[in-house]
Amino acid sequence: MKNIFFLLVSVVLLSSCSTYQDVLKNDDIKAKYEFADSLYSQGKYKKALRLWEQIVPLYRGRPQAERVTYLYADTYYELGDYYNGGYQFERFVKSFPQSTKREEAAFKSAESYYKRSPRFNLDQGDTYIALEKLQGFINEYPDSEQVDDANAKVQELNTKLERKSYEIAKGYNKIGASRGTFPNAISAFDNFLLDNPGSIYREDALYWKFNSAYQLAMGSVKRRQAERLEAAKTAYNALEKYYPQGKYADEAAKELAEINEALQANDLLN
C-alpha cells in the first residue's frame, strides 16, 4: 500500500511539473495568467514569478493589467526581494492612480525600502530613501490604518541613524589616546547633540563628550592644560545638569575630582 501511495504522489508531482513547464512554453497568455494566479494563491511565488515576468508586458492596456501588475509586485515582496518589490509597487502606484489598491501598494513600496535598510554600521543610503518614502506615505495618507506602523518605522530608522552618528563619535574617543582624536570626538559629540536633542543616546553622548574633554585635558602640555581642564568642567556641568543621578554619575565624579586636583596643581605652579 505504501508503495502504491508513493507512486501516486510521484505521478501527481510529475504531472504538475509537466503542466507548469507546458504553460511556461505555451503562447496562451490567458492560461499563463490563470496558472500564475493559482500558484500565487498557493504561496508558490517562485514559480508564479516566472509566469508573471512573461505576461506582465503583454497585459499592458488590458482590463486585467491592474491586477496582474499588483500581483507581480506582491510576488517579489512575498519572496523577500524588496529591491524589485519596492520598485514594482512604486510603478503600480504611478500607473494606476485610481486603483483601490493604491494605498496598500504605496505602503508596501515604502515598507520594502524600510526592509532594505542595513545594519547601523553600514552605509545608510537605503535608510535615507526609506525615510523619504515612509514620510511621503504618511503625508499622502494621514488617515490610513498603516500610519501608526509607518511612524514607528520612521522612529526606528531615525534611531538607527542616531546610533551610527553616536558610534562614530565614540570611535574617536576610543582611539583618542593613540591617535590624538579627542578633539574630533568632542566636535562629533557636539554635532550629535545639536542634531539629535531628543535622542535615546543623549546621556551617553554628554558623558563621552565630557570623558573626551577630560582625557584631552589630562594629557595636555602644561601651557594648554588649564584651559582644557576648565572646558572639561563645563562639559561635566552639562552632564550633571541633565543627569545628576545618571548611569555615569560615579565615574564622572571621579574624573571631575582628578580635574579639580590638576587645576589646584596648576594654580600652585603659577
Side-chain angles (χ1 to χ4, degrees):
M1 288 296 291
K2 287 184 178 179
N3 291 335
I4 294 173
F5 173 76
F6 286 121
L7 179 61
L8 289 172
V9 170
S10 299
V11 169
V12 170
L13 289 174
L14 286 171
S15 174
S16 175
C17 290
S18 176
T19 302
Y20 177 67
Q21 292 300 325
D22 290 342
V23 174
L24 274 176
K25 297 172 184 177
N26 200 316
D27 291 332
D28 186 344
I29 64 170
K30 182 180 179 182
K32 290 178 185 288
Y33 168 74
E34 291 176 350
F35 205 68
D37 196 9
S38 174
L39 290 169
Y40 172 88
S41 299
Q42 296 173 59
K44 297 177 180 179
Y45 301 115
K46 286 185 179 180
K47 286 187 173 183
L49 181 62
R50 292 185 64 188
L51 291 168
W52 294 136
E53 288 171 340
Q54 289 183 350
I55 65 176
V56 164
L58 303 176
Y59 269 99
R60 286 176 186 150
R62 297 192 179 200
Q64 302 93 333
E66 179 183 330
R67 187 168 189 274
V68 169
T69 305
Y70 180 87
L71 293 179
Y72 179 47
D74 202 49
T75 299
Y76 276 121
Y77 179 88
E78 293 293 343
L79 285 170
D81 184 347
Y82 299 117
Y83 283 87
N84 283 310
Y87 173 71
Q88 293 299 335
F89 273 126
E90 203 163 25
R91 287 190 62 191
F92 177 88
V93 169
K94 292 177 181 177
S95 300
F96 304 98
Q98 303 305 317
S99 173
T100 58
K101 287 283 191 178
R102 189 174 189 273
E103 179 183 324
E104 183 179 342
F107 178 74
K108 284 190 173 182
S109 176
E111 188 178 39
S112 294
Y113 285 102
Y114 158 81
K115 289 178 180 291
R116 284 163 48 177
S117 175
R119 287 171 52 83
F120 78 90
N121 56 335
L122 300 176
D123 180 80
Q124 295 299 306
D126 281 335
T127 301
Y128 286 107
I129 295 174
L131 282 168
E132 179 185 342
K133 300 297 182 182
L134 286 165
Q135 192 59 56
F137 174 82
I138 293 166
N139 294 341
E140 188 166 0
Y141 301 100
D143 299 321
S144 171
E145 293 180 359
Q146 304 294 343
V147 162
D148 287 344
D149 190 7
N151 277 318
K153 286 177 168 59
V154 166
Q155 181 60 51
E156 180 185 337
L157 294 180
N158 278 325
T159 299
K160 183 186 294 186
L161 293 176
E162 289 172 12
R163 183 176 180 187
K164 184 176 180 68
S165 179
Y166 166 73
E167 293 292 351
I168 288 172
K170 193 173 179 183
Y172 285 129
N173 172 277
K174 287 182 178 179
I175 62 173
S178 59
R179 302 286 183 86
T181 56
F182 288 124
N184 303 74
I186 295 167
S187 178
F189 281 123
D190 277 337
N191 290 334
F192 175 86
L193 291 163
L194 183 64
D195 294 338
N196 306 284
S199 173
I200 62 172
Y201 300 107
R202 186 166 182 265
E203 179 181 359
D204 304 274
L206 283 169
Y207 169 72
W208 290 109
K209 176 191 172 182
F210 161 63
N211 178 270
S212 298
Y214 153 77
Q215 292 197 65
L216 176 64
M218 298 302 287
S220 293
V221 295
K222 291 299 180 184
R223 63 185 178 82
R224 302 200 64 181
Q225 190 173 46
E227 174 189 357
R228 288 176 172 174
L229 288 169
E230 290 295 344
K233 286 189 71 172
T234 299
Y236 171 84
N237 290 336
L239 172 66
E240 202 274 337
K241 175 182 178 180
Y242 294 105
Y243 303 99
Q245 304 298 324
K247 59 186 176 181
Y248 298 106
D250 292 342
E251 187 64 27
K254 292 176 185 176
E255 292 164 349
L256 178 65
E258 292 182 36
I259 289 170
N260 287 329
E261 288 178 13
L263 280 171
Q264 289 177 356
N266 269 278
D267 289 341
L268 289 174
L269 288 174
N270 294 332

